[in-house]
């Protein structure tokens, strides 16, 4: 009985290995991997890692003020005043979404004033004398400005105090009723003021972010002079850039 069952099983296997024509079915061919060229390199996913460094905020190398200046008490001095300085300090960017930075700055400055005088010193002659003084000073302020792509922050708005020690020449020309004269003047000048500019919060540093209105109250003491010693006060109006 076992022999008969084994014979039937072998016969059925032999019939399954043949096709319809009675030919045996060949075994399937192995699938080989597709040939690759040494010149073709596998592609990689692009990297989106940014290598751009974010510039740190910093003040400009120099700041300037050009103003019309009036000071005095008995005699009034009308002058053009120029202040140039190097701001020292680090502005801070409090809001990362806005291109705006602010901070304190200490600025060594050089101030120069050139103008003329009017008053009793002229003995009836208008604008009789010429005054030129120049000297060093220091300026302390807190400014706010637009942050550019390279990190530059120019203070469009700033409140400040400034102190300068000035020295120079005072020259009174000859007049019909008053002989001319010239002498040295030593002046201590202080001012409290502000830059009243516009700060563009959109981040586009335009003209109004570069130039701002400069307004200041000015106090001075003429310490060295044979004719004009004493206190004086006045104001300055101009542009800061």
């Amino acid at each position: 009985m076992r022999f008969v069952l084994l014979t039937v099983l072998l016969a059925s296997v032999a019939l399954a290995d043949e096709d319809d024509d009675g030919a045996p079915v060949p075994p399937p061919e192995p699938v080989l991997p597709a040939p690759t060229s040494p010149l073709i390199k596998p592609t990689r996913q692009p990297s989106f890692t940014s290598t751009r460094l974010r510039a740190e905020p910093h003040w400009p190398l120099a700041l300037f003020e050009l103003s019309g200046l009036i000071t005095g008490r008995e005699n009034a001095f009308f002058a053009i005043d120029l202040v140039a300085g190097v701001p020292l300090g680090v502005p801070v960017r409090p809001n990362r979404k806005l291109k705006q930075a602010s901070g304190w700055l200490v600025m060594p400055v050089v101030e120069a004033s050139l103008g003329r005088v009017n008053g009793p010193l002229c003995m009836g002659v208008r604008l009789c004398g010429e005054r030129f003084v120049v000297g060093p000073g220091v300026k302390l302020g807190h400014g706010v400005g637009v942050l550019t792509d390279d990190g530059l922050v120019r203070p469009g708005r700033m409140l400040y105090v400034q102190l300068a020690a000035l020295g120079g020449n005072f020259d009174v020309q000859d007049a019909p009723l008053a002989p001319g004269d010239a002498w040295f003047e030593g002046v201590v000048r202080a001012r409290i003021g502000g830059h009243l500019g516009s700060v563009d919060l959109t981040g586009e540093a335009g003209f109004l972010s570069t130039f701002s209105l400069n307004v200041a109250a000015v106090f001075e003491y003429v310490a060295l002079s044979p004719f004009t010693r004493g206190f004086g006060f006045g104001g300055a109006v101009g542009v800061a850039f």
Side-chain angles (χ1 to χ4, degrees), residues 32-42:
L32 299 177
T36 58
S37 173
L39 301 179
I40 301 178
K41 297 182 178 180

Side-chain angles (χ1 to χ4, degrees), residues 114-127:
L114 175 63
R116 302 184 72 86
V117 62
N118 192 39
L121 186 65
C122 295
M123 296 183 179
V125 180
R126 291 187 176 182
L127 302 176

Side-chain angles (χ1 to χ4, degrees), residues 32-58:
L32 299 177
T36 58
S37 173
L39 301 179
I40 301 178
K41 297 182 178 180
T43 59
R44 297 180 178 178
Q45 294 294 332
S47 176
F48 296 97
T49 303
S50 176
T51 58
R52 183 180 179 183
L53 297 178
R54 184 173 298 176
E56 293 295 331
H58 60 274

Side-chain angles (χ1 to χ4, degrees), residues 11-96:
S12 61
V13 173
L15 291 175
D17 292 339
E18 294 180 357
D19 56 8
D20 296 339
D21 298 335
V25 179
E29 296 181 358
V31 180
L32 299 177
T36 58
S37 173
L39 301 179
I40 301 178
K41 297 182 178 180
T43 59
R44 297 180 178 178
Q45 294 294 332
S47 176
F48 296 97
T49 303
S50 176
T51 58
R52 183 180 179 183
L53 297 178
R54 184 173 298 176
E56 293 295 331
H58 60 274
W59 299 120
L61 295 180
L63 291 175
F64 303 90
E65 294 176 12
L66 182 62
S67 307
L69 176 69
I70 301 177
T71 59
R73 191 175 57 180
E74 295 180 357
N75 298 286
F77 302 96
F78 303 87
I80 298 297
D81 188 76
L82 175 64
V83 178
V86 178
L88 305 177
V90 180
V92 179
R93 185 181 182 183
N95 191 338
R96 293 292 178 178

Side-chain angles (χ1 to χ4, degrees), residues 19-211:
D19 56 8
D20 296 339
D21 298 335
V25 179
E29 296 181 358
V31 180
L32 299 177
T36 58
S37 173
L39 301 179
I40 301 178
K41 297 182 178 180
T43 59
R44 297 180 178 178
Q45 294 294 332
S47 176
F48 296 97
T49 303
S50 176
T51 58
R52 183 180 179 183
L53 297 178
R54 184 173 298 176
E56 293 295 331
H58 60 274
W59 299 120
L61 295 180
L63 291 175
F64 303 90
E65 294 176 12
L66 182 62
S67 307
L69 176 69
I70 301 177
T71 59
R73 191 175 57 180
E74 295 180 357
N75 298 286
F77 302 96
F78 303 87
I80 298 297
D81 188 76
L82 175 64
V83 178
V86 178
L88 305 177
V90 180
V92 179
R93 185 181 182 183
N95 191 338
R96 293 292 178 178
K97 295 182 180 180
L98 298 177
K99 290 188 176 182
Q100 177 182 345
S102 61
W104 291 94
L105 58 88
V106 177
M107 187 164 63
V109 300
V110 174
E111 181 178 359
S113 299
L114 175 63
R116 302 184 72 86
V117 62
N118 192 39
L121 186 65
C122 295
M123 296 183 179
V125 180
R126 291 187 176 182
L127 302 176
C128 65
E130 184 176 274
R131 183 196 201 194
F132 174 73
V133 289
V134 62
V138 62
K139 181 176 182 178
L140 173 65
H142 185 274
V144 181
V146 175
L147 176 64
T148 60
D149 292 337
D150 57 357
L152 177 65
V153 180
R154 185 176 296 276
R157 294 197 303 261
M158 183 169 66
L159 297 177
Y160 69 87
V161 293
Q162 178 177 316
L163 183 66
L166 312 175
N169 186 60
F170 200 119
D171 188 5
V172 178
Q173 292 82 14
D174 290 330
L177 300 179
D181 200 355
W183 60 87
F184 175 83
E185 271 197 348
V187 183
V188 177
R189 181 179 293 169
R191 67 176 70 190
I192 301 174
H195 299 174
L196 309 179
S198 173
V199 177
D200 188 358
L201 299 182
T202 63
E204 298 178 359
F207 178 82
L208 294 179
S209 297
T210 303
F211 291 85

